[in-house]
Amino acid sequence: MKSNSFWSFQTLKNFYVATLVAWLIWVLFLDNNNAKVVFSNRMKMKELETEKSKLLDKIAQVKKERNEVFGNPKMVEKWAREKFLMRKPNEEVFVIVDENNQPIESKKEE
């Protein structure tokens, strides 16, 4: 015996399937936070996390260098001369560079 009422099981089943499909289309393509936006945000987050780890390593290196240098007045002068190419009056500074015009001293730090 088949029910001919409007709210039969088959009608409700089709309604729920159609609603589910419409909801998926809305969420995946039409919403402000659609799949493309979510994917691009995750890629950006990975890039930022990579950059963050590099910067944290650089911060640790700078803190270590600061502790080594600023504990000794003679080291401050040496550090300023090497890092910023500072010089005394009437003194010449020579910087040895490689074929790419990069100072050779900077290669040790990397």
Side-chain angles (χ1 to χ4, degrees):
M1 204 156 153
K2 192 170 186 181
S3 172
N4 287 337
S5 81
F6 179 74
W7 296 107
S8 68
F9 178 72
Q10 188 64 32
T11 304
L12 286 176
K13 182 177 159 185
N14 290 340
F15 172 76
Y16 287 125
V17 169
T19 304
L20 178 65
V21 169
W23 179 78
L24 283 175
I25 289 172
W26 179 266
V27 168
L28 292 176
F29 303 110
L30 303 175
D31 194 31
N32 288 337
N33 292 323
N34 60 30
K36 181 181 177 186
V37 171
V38 170
F39 181 73
S40 66
N41 285 344
R42 287 190 185 194
M43 295 299 291
K44 177 90 170 172
M45 188 172 79
K46 286 181 183 180
E47 291 173 9
L48 290 174
E49 286 175 350
T50 304
E51 184 179 347
K52 177 185 173 185
S53 66
K54 288 179 184 177
L55 291 175
L56 288 175
D57 291 342
K58 188 163 184 140
I59 288 171
Q61 179 185 1
V62 168
K63 283 183 179 180
K64 179 183 171 196
E65 187 176 288
R66 183 187 66 190
N67 291 336
E68 290 174 359
V69 169
F70 292 111
N72 185 353
K74 288 187 178 184
M75 286 296 294
V76 172
E77 181 182 349
K78 180 181 184 276
W79 178 75
R81 288 172 160 268
E82 289 177 359
K83 193 81 167 180
F84 300 111
L85 303 176
M86 293 182 140
R87 62 182 180 88
K88 293 181 180 178
N90 299 324
E91 183 181 56
E92 292 184 27
V93 176
F94 296 97
V95 179
I96 301 172
V97 295
D98 62 4
E99 60 273 356
N100 296 328
N101 206 20
Q102 297 295 320
I104 293 178
E105 289 294 320
S106 67
K107 289 184 178 182
K108 288 192 304 187
E109 297 171 3
E110 295 173 0

